[in-house]
Amino acid sequence: MASSMPRSVPGRIKASYWIETPLDPHRAAEAMAGEQSSGTFLKLARETDELRDRHAAQVDSVTQLTTADTPSLPGAMPGEVYHRANITLSWPTINVGTSLPNLMATVLGNLTELRELSGIRLSRLALPDEFLEAHPGPRFSITGTRQLTGCNEGPLIGTIIKPSVGLTPEETAELVGELIEAGIDFIKDDELIANPPYSPLAKRVPAVMRVINDYAQRTGRKPMYAFNITGDIDEMRRQHDLVVEHEGTCVMASMNWIGLASLQALSQHTSVPIHGHRNGWGLFYRSPSIGIDYPAYQTLLRLAGADHLHVNGLGSKFAEADASVIDSATACLTPLLHRSERDDRAMPVFSSAQTVHQASNTFKALGSTDLIYTCGGGIMGHPNGVAAGCRSIRAAWAAAASGTPLGEHAHQEPDLEVALRAFASPFSG
């Protein structure tokens, strides 16, 4: 009986990769396409021409690069030379539907284990409109975050609760009071604290929000606090509801450990922005021979509902190159679906050893202030106190936006002048 399934679809899922292989790269690309669609290691009777027409992955392009004498990863087929190439594969959307987890099973799946490959990185994803339209993406994005904080221009100046662990709910609330009185826009829990016995969210949320709500009532200004609610789906829903009950305006979760499906479930439930923390990201980017590039990774997290996404920072304490940081932030600010009624951008979060010194270079490279600039020591370590630390960061960004050199602007901003001396520049020497 003839199949009623369509032989073609309006769009195709496209994935681009860097690969290394002892085979001819075209042959390796064909092996990848077969492994991740209709093929297997031998021809099967039911793999008909009609089935392949409907479901087979295609090799769209192969661009050969350099070669290497030795394989980058163990377990690959032996070879005399290892070829490196950029390739693009595509699949009919009928294979996946609009499921994010099954998209990843298709475009990456078993590829990291193929013996034909001695290296593989997923670099880009291009998804057809029908796939993008099935996912609303960030519910608040940049505009909603700005509305909730009252910060209509410039970066949101933020910080992290430090020490990361060990503070009681009351001690956390006391520190929050100091930070918001100093003029901070955004505060987040560290990824190391979620709902521990010594500071359960049931006590931490009301303690912190009591301080923030009192401040908002006095001043008309309400800083955003991202409570870390990382847990299983039911737990995150309950903790989200606790935050909203106490008039909180943001929740945070560790993206890599809750997974895409849990993030989607949280997004469908949430009435406040989701702050997406990417701790564990080094597993995906740090080896040049295997992993996922951030432009592909952030596409998935945005479609699943993350409103804010971490991108590290320039001159940070981490191993990521500055060019990669800017590439990541630019990707977050690039719409996935260009529709006037939809804003599916995510607000990039710069962090990790950020001080007054990185503001100018960050603005120059990114060309935008639609970001959260989180400084721990760069604010709380200011010699003249937390308020002076906040003022110094704002002054650094004002200088960046106006194109004024930091040293020159510091003549008018004493807090900035002190900070320039107190914190070593990561760009000097």
Side-chain angles (χ1 to χ4, degrees):
M1 189 169 96
S3 169
S4 61
M5 298 179 73
R7 295 177 66 85
S8 63
V9 291
R12 292 179 69 83
I13 293 164
K14 292 193 174 188
S16 298
Y17 308 83
W18 171 93
I19 67 166
E20 182 184 277
T21 175
L23 306 178
D24 177 278
H26 292 83
R27 183 179 163 196
E30 291 288 354
M32 293 169 65
E35 175 67 26
Q36 294 306 114
S37 60
S38 63
T40 183
F41 66 94
L42 74 168
K43 186 73 163 53
L44 299 177
R46 287 185 172 84
E47 189 188 345
T48 63
D49 290 342
E50 183 185 12
L51 185 145
R52 280 195 297 273
D53 285 346
R54 286 199 312 265
H55 296 285
Q58 296 176 0
V59 178
D60 288 356
S61 66
V62 177
T63 302
Q64 299 200 43
L65 303 172
T66 59
T67 59
D69 295 332
T70 57
S72 295
L73 298 174
M77 292 176 175
E80 295 181 3
V81 64
Y82 293 84
H83 305 273
R84 293 168 177 172
N86 290 329
I87 70 164
T88 298
L89 306 181
S90 68
W91 292 259
T93 53
I94 199 171
N95 285 19
V96 175
T98 58
S99 166
L100 288 173
N102 289 305
L103 169 70
M104 290 309 294
T106 296
V107 302
L108 205 53
N110 288 335
L111 293 181
T112 57
E113 298 186 75
L114 282 184
R115 295 187 66 238
E116 288 91 341
L117 302 177
S118 55
I120 177 172
R121 289 188 66 83
L122 174 63
S123 54
R124 291 288 193 279
L125 282 172
L127 303 172
D129 284 359
E130 60 263 34
F131 193 104
L132 297 172
E133 288 165 351
H135 303 278
R139 294 180 179 270
F140 291 84
S141 186
I142 296 163
T143 302
T145 299
R146 287 195 179 281
Q147 288 173 347
L148 285 168
T149 58
C151 298
N152 297 319
E153 58 183 24
L156 271 65
I157 305 304
T159 193
I160 310 98
I161 293 295
K162 297 292 183 181
S164 306
V165 298
L167 296 181
T168 65
E170 294 74 23
E171 290 168 334
T172 303
E174 183 180 359
L175 176 56
V176 168
E178 182 181 353
L179 290 167
I180 61 177
E181 293 290 347
I184 205 80
D185 299 319
F186 176 88
I187 308 169
K188 61 175 284 294
D189 281 334
D190 193 86
E191 70 274 13
L192 296 177
I193 180 173
N195 192 31
Y198 70 87
S199 184
L201 282 163
K203 292 184 178 180
R204 192 163 83 249
V205 170
V208 167
M209 289 312 304
R210 191 177 304 115
V211 171
I212 293 176
N213 289 332
D214 287 349
Y215 176 83
Q217 191 169 22
R218 283 190 290 111
T219 66
R221 177 177 174 274
K222 188 170 183 176
M224 179 176 279
Y225 191 106
F227 290 96
N228 185 4
I229 63 168
T230 300
D232 64 41
I233 295 174
D234 289 339
E235 181 184 8
M236 289 194 294
R237 287 179 177 139
R238 288 195 304 271
Q239 304 298 11
H240 161 274
D241 293 349
L242 174 69
V243 171
V244 172
E245 177 188 346
H246 290 275
E247 301 179 51
T249 56
C250 191
V251 295
M252 171 182 138
S254 294
M255 303 287 94
N256 293 320
W257 312 132
I258 66 168
L260 287 173
S262 290
L263 175 56
Q264 281 185 293
L266 177 61
S267 178
Q268 290 161 5
H269 180 80
T270 191
S271 57
V272 296
I274 298 173
H275 187 83
H277 200 294
R278 68 177 195 179
N279 58 89
W281 168 242
L283 289 169
F284 299 106
Y285 87 85
R286 199 160 183 186
S287 170
S289 303
I290 191 167
I292 306 175
D293 289 343
Y294 198 81
Y297 172 87
Q298 59 83 37
T299 296
L300 302 164
L301 297 182
R302 284 160 64 186
L303 289 177
D307 295 282
H308 313 152
L309 286 172
H310 282 237
V311 296
N312 278 337
L314 301 189
S316 79
K317 64 185 179 183
F318 292 128
E320 189 170 9
D322 286 353
S324 176
V325 172
I326 295 301
D327 190 33
S328 298
T330 300
C332 289
L333 293 174
T334 303
L336 298 173
L337 190 62
H338 293 267
R339 300 280 170 82
S340 59
E341 71 277 9
R342 168 170 164 154
D343 185 359
D344 57 18
R345 298 171 299 163
M347 204 164 198
V349 182
F350 286 76
S351 62
S352 172
Q354 301 300 284
T355 69
V356 294
H357 289 287
Q358 287 97 329
S360 292
N361 285 1
T362 301
F363 179 74
K364 189 181 300 182
L366 188 62
S368 174
T369 57
D370 283 333
L371 57 97
I372 301 174
Y373 194 68
T374 56
C375 309
I379 286 178
M380 289 187 275
H382 193 286
N384 294 339
V386 175
C390 282
R391 290 192 295 267
S392 71
I393 298 294
R394 291 196 192 281
W397 274 94
S402 67
T404 307
L406 275 180
E408 181 180 326
H409 194 61
H411 296 322
Q412 309 165 44
E413 299 284 350
D415 296 315
L416 175 57
E417 189 170 35
V418 171
L420 287 173
R421 292 196 305 267
F423 302 109
S425 170
F427 308 115
S428 60

